Amino acid sequence: QVQLVESGGGTVQAGGSLRLSCAASGRTFNTYGLGWFRQSPGKEQTLISAISWSGGTTYLADSVKGRFTISRDNAKNTVYLQMNSLKPEDTAVYKCAADLNGRGMYGYWGRGTQVTVSS
């Protein structure tokens, strides 16, 4: 079992930055991968970034590549999403999720944090 709690969302002007955090508890943190998803009103939830248990492998969707960075601190049981050069289209609810089996199947989810980017 894994519990995930996101923080760091808020409202920022276009071009600004935010850093999202996701604190995990339960299963030993450095044994599973994590992903960040987002969902805008009327759109499907999509995976925008992921990181392996060690942090050695990362994924960024094309829509955020070059602007967002994912990282994890296994000593703090936390995964981060650094978001720079934010655009209004980045407005969404951002959720982190845990992939316990390393197969891209995310079975544990946080409640999410709202990010709003104003133009």
Side-chain angles (χ1 to χ4, degrees):
Q1 298 289 335
V2 174
Q3 295 79 43
L4 302 168
V5 179
E6 302 94 338
S7 61
T11 299
V12 64
Q13 287 190 333
S17 297
L18 284 173
R19 188 176 79 158
L20 305 184
S21 300
C22 175
S25 59
R27 176 168 159 169
T28 303
F29 186 69
N30 64 359
T31 63
Y32 55 87
L34 291 140
W36 283 100
F37 292 75
R38 71 183 182 187
Q39 185 170 22
S40 305
K43 295 187 177 180
E44 292 186 355
Q45 183 169 262
T46 59
L47 175 68
I48 57 167
S49 190
I51 190 165
S52 62
W53 65 271
S54 67
T57 302
T58 60
Y59 162 79
L60 287 168
D62 287 344
S63 58
V64 303
K65 201 170 291 184
R67 300 188 297 122
F68 291 12
T69 304
I70 189 170
S71 62
R72 64 189 295 163
D73 186 336
N74 287 344
K76 295 184 178 180
N77 290 2
T78 302
V79 62
Y80 304 98
L81 187 67
Q82 178 67 44
M83 306 186 296
N84 298 329
S85 302
L86 283 161
K87 304 175 182 180
E89 51 263 45
D90 294 318
T91 295
V93 174
Y94 286 71
K95 293 184 178 181
C96 68
D99 170 19
L100 268 57
N101 296 318
R103 299 174 184 174
M105 299 174 64
Y106 294 88
Y108 296 89
W109 295 80
R111 291 190 174 186
T113 186
Q114 175 70 45
V115 171
T116 302
V117 184
S118 60
S119 56

Coordinates of all heavy atoms in Angstrom, one line a residue, residues 62-101:
D62 N 6.0 15.2 -24.7 CA 6.4 16.2 -25.7 C 5.9 17.6 -25.3 O 6.6 18.6 -25.5 CB 6.0 15.9 -27.1 CG 6.8 14.7 -27.7 OD1 7.9 14.4 -27.1 OD2 6.3 14.2 -28.7
S63 N 4.7 17.6 -24.7 CA 4.1 18.9 -24.4 C 4.8 19.7 -23.3 O 4.6 20.9 -23.1 CB 2.6 18.7 -24.0 OG 2.5 17.8 -22.9
V64 N 5.6 19.0 -22.5 CA 6.3 19.6 -21.4 C 7.8 19.5 -21.5 O 8.5 20.1 -20.6 CB 5.8 19.0 -20.0 CG1 4.3 19.2 -19.9 CG2 6.2 17.6 -19.8
K65 N 8.3 18.8 -22.4 CA 9.7 18.6 -22.6 C 10.4 19.9 -22.8 O 10.0 20.8 -23.5 CB 10.0 17.7 -23.8 CG 11.3 17.0 -23.8 CD 11.4 15.9 -24.9 CE 10.5 14.8 -24.5 NZ 10.6 13.7 -25.6
G66 N 11.5 20.1 -22.0 CA 12.3 21.3 -22.1 C 11.8 22.4 -21.1 O 12.5 23.4 -20.9
R67 N 10.6 22.1 -20.5 CA 10.1 23.1 -19.5 C 9.9 22.5 -18.1 O 10.1 23.1 -17.1 CB 8.7 23.6 -20.0 CG 8.8 24.3 -21.3 CD 7.4 24.9 -21.6 NE 6.3 24.0 -21.8 CZ 5.2 24.0 -21.0 NH1 5.0 24.9 -20.1 NH2 4.3 23.1 -21.2
F68 N 9.6 21.2 -18.1 CA 9.4 20.5 -16.8 C 10.5 19.5 -16.5 O 11.1 19.0 -17.5 CB 8.1 19.7 -16.8 CG 6.8 20.5 -16.9 CD1 6.8 21.9 -17.1 CD2 5.6 19.9 -16.7 CE1 5.6 22.6 -17.1 CE2 4.4 20.6 -16.7 CZ 4.4 22.0 -16.9
T69 N 10.8 19.3 -15.3 CA 11.8 18.3 -14.8 C 11.2 17.5 -13.7 O 10.6 18.1 -12.7 CB 13.0 19.0 -14.4 OG1 13.5 19.9 -15.4 CG2 14.1 18.0 -14.0
I70 N 11.4 16.2 -13.8 CA 11.0 15.3 -12.7 C 12.2 14.8 -11.9 O 13.2 14.6 -12.5 CB 10.1 14.1 -13.2 CG1 9.5 13.4 -12.0 CG2 11.0 13.2 -14.1 CD1 8.5 12.3 -12.5
S71 N 12.1 14.7 -10.6 CA 13.2 14.2 -9.8 C 12.6 13.6 -8.6 O 11.4 13.7 -8.3 CB 14.1 15.4 -9.4 OG 13.5 16.3 -8.6
R72 N 13.4 12.8 -7.9 CA 12.9 12.2 -6.6 C 14.1 12.2 -5.6 O 15.2 12.2 -6.0 CB 12.4 10.8 -6.9 CG 13.5 9.8 -7.3 CD 12.9 8.5 -7.7 NE 12.3 7.8 -6.6 CZ 11.4 6.8 -6.7 NH1 11.0 6.4 -7.9 NH2 10.9 6.2 -5.6
D73 N 13.7 12.3 -4.4 CA 14.6 12.3 -3.2 C 14.2 11.1 -2.4 O 13.2 11.2 -1.6 CB 14.5 13.6 -2.4 CG 15.6 13.7 -1.3 OD1 16.1 12.6 -0.9 OD2 15.9 14.8 -0.9
N74 N 14.9 10.0 -2.5 CA 14.5 8.8 -1.8 C 14.7 8.9 -0.3 O 14.1 8.1 0.4 CB 15.2 7.6 -2.4 CG 14.7 7.2 -3.8 OD1 13.6 7.6 -4.2 ND2 15.5 6.4 -4.5
A75 N 15.6 9.8 0.1 CA 15.7 10.0 1.5 C 14.6 10.7 2.1 O 14.3 10.6 3.3 CB 17.0 10.8 1.8
K76 N 13.8 11.5 1.3 CA 12.7 12.3 1.8 C 11.4 11.7 1.4 O 10.3 12.3 1.6 CB 12.8 13.7 1.3 CG 14.0 14.5 1.9 CD 14.0 15.9 1.5 CE 15.1 16.7 2.1 NZ 15.2 18.1 1.7
N77 N 11.4 10.5 0.7 CA 10.2 9.9 0.2 C 9.3 10.9 -0.6 O 8.1 10.9 -0.5 CB 9.4 9.3 1.4 CG 10.0 8.1 2.0 OD1 11.1 7.7 1.6 ND2 9.4 7.6 3.0
T78 N 10.0 11.6 -1.5 CA 9.2 12.7 -2.2 C 9.7 12.7 -3.6 O 10.9 12.5 -4.0 CB 9.5 14.0 -1.5 OG1 9.1 14.0 -0.2 CG2 8.7 15.1 -2.3
V79 N 8.7 12.9 -4.5 CA 9.0 13.1 -5.9 C 8.5 14.5 -6.3 O 7.6 15.1 -5.7 CB 8.3 12.1 -6.8 CG1 6.7 12.2 -6.7 CG2 8.7 12.2 -8.3
Y80 N 9.3 15.2 -7.2 CA 9.1 16.6 -7.5 C 8.8 16.7 -9.0 O 9.2 15.9 -9.8 CB 10.3 17.4 -7.1 CG 10.7 17.3 -5.7 CD1 11.7 16.5 -5.3 CD2 10.1 18.1 -4.7 CE1 12.1 16.4 -4.0 CE2 10.5 18.0 -3.4 CZ 11.5 17.1 -3.0 OH 11.9 17.0 -1.7
L81 N 8.0 17.8 -9.3 CA 7.9 18.2 -10.7 C 8.1 19.7 -10.7 O 7.3 20.5 -10.3 CB 6.5 17.9 -11.2 CG 6.2 18.1 -12.7 CD1 7.1 17.1 -13.5 CD2 4.8 18.0 -13.0
Q82 N 9.3 20.0 -11.3 CA 9.6 21.4 -11.5 C 9.1 21.9 -12.8 O 9.4 21.3 -13.8 CB 11.2 21.6 -11.5 CG 11.6 23.0 -11.7 CD 11.2 24.0 -10.6 OE1 11.4 23.6 -9.4 NE2 10.7 25.2 -10.9
M83 N 8.2 22.9 -12.7 CA 7.6 23.4 -13.9 C 8.0 24.8 -14.2 O 7.7 25.7 -13.4 CB 6.0 23.3 -13.7 CG 5.6 21.9 -13.3 SD 3.8 21.8 -13.3 CE 3.4 22.9 -12.0
N84 N 8.6 25.0 -15.3 CA 9.1 26.4 -15.7 C 8.4 26.8 -17.0 O 7.8 26.0 -17.7 CB 10.6 26.3 -15.9 CG 11.4 26.0 -14.7 OD1 11.0 26.3 -13.6 ND2 12.5 25.4 -14.9
S85 N 8.5 28.1 -17.3 CA 7.9 28.6 -18.5 C 6.4 28.2 -18.7 O 6.0 27.7 -19.8 CB 8.7 28.2 -19.7 OG 10.1 28.7 -19.6
L86 N 5.7 28.3 -17.6 CA 4.3 27.8 -17.7 C 3.5 28.5 -18.6 O 3.6 29.7 -18.9 CB 3.7 27.9 -16.2 CG 4.2 26.7 -15.3 CD1 4.0 27.1 -13.9 CD2 3.5 25.4 -15.6
K87 N 2.5 27.8 -19.2 CA 1.6 28.3 -20.2 C 0.2 28.1 -19.7 O -0.1 27.2 -18.9 CB 1.8 27.6 -21.6 CG 3.2 27.6 -22.1 CD 3.3 26.7 -23.4 CE 4.7 26.6 -23.9 NZ 4.8 25.8 -25.1
P88 N -0.7 29.0 -20.2 CA -2.1 28.8 -19.8 C -2.6 27.3 -20.1 O -3.5 26.8 -19.3 CB -2.9 29.8 -20.7 CG -1.9 30.9 -20.9 CD -0.6 30.2 -21.0
E89 N -2.2 26.7 -21.1 CA -2.6 25.3 -21.4 C -2.1 24.3 -20.4 O -2.4 23.1 -20.5 CB -2.2 24.9 -22.8 CG -0.8 25.2 -23.2 CD -0.6 26.5 -23.9 OE1 -1.1 27.5 -23.5 OE2 0.2 26.5 -24.9
D90 N -1.2 24.7 -19.5 CA -0.7 23.8 -18.4 C -1.7 23.8 -17.3 O -1.6 23.0 -16.3 CB 0.6 24.3 -17.9 CG 1.7 24.1 -19.0 OD1 1.8 23.1 -19.7 OD2 2.6 25.0 -19.0
T91 N -2.7 24.6 -17.3 CA -3.7 24.7 -16.3 C -4.4 23.3 -16.2 O -5.0 22.8 -17.2 CB -4.8 25.8 -16.5 OG1 -4.1 27.0 -16.5 CG2 -5.9 25.7 -15.5
A92 N -4.4 22.7 -15.0 CA -5.0 21.4 -14.8 C -4.9 21.0 -13.3 O -4.2 21.7 -12.5 CB -4.2 20.4 -15.6
V93 N -5.5 19.9 -13.0 CA -5.3 19.2 -11.7 C -4.1 18.2 -12.0 O -4.2 17.4 -12.9 CB -6.5 18.5 -11.2 CG1 -6.2 17.7 -10.0 CG2 -7.6 19.5 -10.9
Y94 N -3.1 18.3 -11.2 CA -2.0 17.5 -11.3 C -2.0 16.4 -10.2 O -2.2 16.8 -9.0 CB -0.7 18.3 -11.2 CG -0.4 19.1 -12.4 CD1 -1.2 20.2 -12.7 CD2 0.6 18.7 -13.3 CE1 -0.9 20.9 -13.9 CE2 0.9 19.5 -14.4 CZ 0.1 20.6 -14.7 OH 0.3 21.3 -15.9
K95 N -1.8 15.2 -10.6 CA -1.8 14.1 -9.6 C -0.6 13.2 -9.8 O -0.1 13.0 -10.9 CB -3.0 13.2 -9.8 CG -4.4 13.8 -9.5 CD -5.5 12.8 -9.7 CE -6.8 13.4 -9.3 NZ -7.9 12.5 -9.4
C96 N 0.0 12.8 -8.6 CA 1.0 11.8 -8.7 C 0.5 10.4 -8.5 O -0.6 10.2 -7.8 CB 2.2 12.1 -7.8 SG 1.8 11.9 -6.0
A97 N 1.1 9.4 -9.0 CA 0.7 8.0 -8.9 C 1.9 7.1 -8.8 O 3.0 7.4 -9.3 CB -0.2 7.7 -10.1
A98 N 1.7 6.0 -8.2 CA 2.7 5.0 -8.0 C 2.5 3.8 -8.9 O 1.4 3.2 -9.0 CB 2.8 4.6 -6.5
D99 N 3.7 3.3 -9.4 CA 3.7 2.1 -10.3 C 4.5 1.1 -9.6 O 5.7 1.0 -9.7 CB 4.3 2.5 -11.6 CG 4.6 1.3 -12.5 OD1 4.0 0.2 -12.2 OD2 5.4 1.4 -13.4
L100 N 3.8 0.2 -8.8 CA 4.6 -0.7 -7.9 C 5.2 -1.8 -8.7 O 6.2 -2.4 -8.2 CB 3.6 -1.3 -6.9 CG 3.5 -0.5 -5.6 CD1 3.1 1.0 -5.8 CD2 2.6 -1.1 -4.6
N101 N 4.8 -2.2 -9.9 CA 5.3 -3.3 -10.6 C 6.2 -3.0 -11.7 O 6.7 -3.9 -12.4 CB 4.1 -4.2 -11.1 CG 3.2 -4.7 -10.0 OD1 3.8 -5.2 -9.0 ND2 1.9 -4.6 -10.1

